[in-house]
Amino acid sequence: NLFELPGGNVGAAASFQYGSEAWSAPENPLVSQGYYYGITGSGGGGTRSFGAVGAELRAPLLKWLTVDVSGRYDRYKNGNGGGTSQRGTYRVGVEVRPISTLLLRGSLATAFRAPDMAYVFGGQSSSHPEQLTDYYRCDLYGGPLGSCPYFANQTLLSISQGNPGLSPIKAKSLTYGLVWSPARNFTFKADYYRISIRDEVELSSEDTELRQEAACRTGELDPNSPTCVAVLQLVERAPFGSPLNGAVTKIFGEPFNVASETVSGITASIDYSHDFGKYGNLALNLAYNDTLKHTFQSAAGDPVTSTLNQPQLPPSELSFKSIATATATWDIGKWSVTLHETRYGSTPNYAAWFDGIGGPVDPYFGAPAGRIRPWIVYNGSVTYNVNKDMQLSLEGMKISVQKIM
């Protein structure tokens, strides 16, 4: 406590941090070079030193108004010529309580984090992924993807390694909302959030690289875009007209910084409980998240795509528009019964990832490209508490996937 304001005591805290760390994963070099078919591995090693200073001030300016301000400065240095980076971050939070049962809150914050050491210092590793698709040769072949002779039957040599040139991850977030508690056994919360991330570290999959390479070669993506310039160097092909006739001979990969990713949405929840005396206690929880926006830009200069609305993105980019949960727990004596439901919002079906919604019916998938109705998972459990050190439980689950819309 520093001093007193009309709303209460002003509190402050400060921190200082310094340290170093090392990462080492030795490996047989013949394994990483793909000398042994079907045997893979990864290795590498490096060091990093880091330091940070930070401070926080919490000031209750009035009985109904509190402000929390914090700041931090980080610096790290990678060994082995990995580079140095530093950045300051901050957070400002405000709480307003106009009446005793209602809290209005909001915050604005930035973040900074060094990439994982394995992403920076990882040595060369190899693998032989199977059941891949050569999308470019399928485009040249023509017809539905499922009838292409190069669909889901390719086994390739994939070589990956760490990236010492990775930039640190930066983020900025904005949140505001309310908490309403008219009674001790009832609480309602609702918040809006918006998170923007720059230089997020991603690992590109072989399937993603093959998709992007095909799109670049066919002109679906601009061949001069940063993504195409990079991916056309990562996928190595035999010359067309040679015995392998343009087949992929090798794929290279490394961690990379994503230009930008933005997510915004609304969350809400209700918690309620009631004591029925000798008949036990009932606790209910309802929660809901609606993603309003989720955009992704792989590299600066590339188009900004929506993971909610563009199903041609790789399935790894799948986003549920909404997720809702409901939980009910009844406790009576040594018994406890819980029922839980999770509802995932509508998503594109598997065929839509390849042919696009509204595209031709591909006999391989057996269904037209479209959307799948909400996916619902039910869980239930019954627990008997024998004593404080032992309990017996019975659990069950049911998954319900509705018909294509």
Side-chain angles (χ1 to χ4, degrees), residues 6-149:
N9 292 324
V10 175
S15 64
F16 172 79
Q17 182 182 14
Y18 179 80
S20 62
E21 54 188 349
W23 176 74
S24 177
E27 184 203 18
N28 184 333
L30 295 179
V31 173
S32 63
Q33 295 168 13
Y35 185 81
Y36 303 106
Y37 180 81
I39 299 178
T40 64
S42 61
T47 61
R48 173 183 291 164
S49 60
F50 56 90
V53 293
E56 181 178 2
L57 181 71
R58 182 174 177 83
L61 303 179
L62 300 169
K63 291 292 184 181
W64 52 271
L65 176 62
T66 300
V67 176
D68 191 301
V69 180
S70 61
R72 180 181 170 102
Y73 178 82
D74 287 86
R75 181 181 187 275
Y76 72 87
K77 180 178 181 180
N78 289 325
N80 305 336
T84 301
S85 189
Q86 58 276 323
R87 193 175 184 87
T89 55
Y90 65 87
R91 181 186 182 277
V92 178
V94 178
E95 295 180 355
V96 178
R97 193 178 290 274
I99 56 177
S100 61
T101 59
L102 179 63
L103 171 66
L104 306 178
R105 59 189 181 184
S107 69
L108 178 66
T110 59
F112 170 85
R113 188 170 72 84
D116 290 347
M117 295 184 70
Y119 290 160
V120 177
F121 300 112
Q124 189 179 90
S125 63
S126 64
S127 62
H128 297 85
E130 300 176 343
Q131 297 182 331
L132 294 175
T133 298
D134 189 337
Y135 296 100
Y136 179 54
R137 287 204 289 174
C138 283
D139 286 338
L140 297 179
Y141 182 82
L145 184 63
S147 61
C148 171

Side-chain angles (χ1 to χ4, degrees), residues 115 163 165-169 198-202 255-259 298-299:
N163 182 0
L166 286 175
S167 299
I169 305 162
R198 290 187 296 116
D199 294 323
E200 182 180 6
V201 178
E202 290 278 348
F256 66 97
N257 289 112
V258 174
S298 181

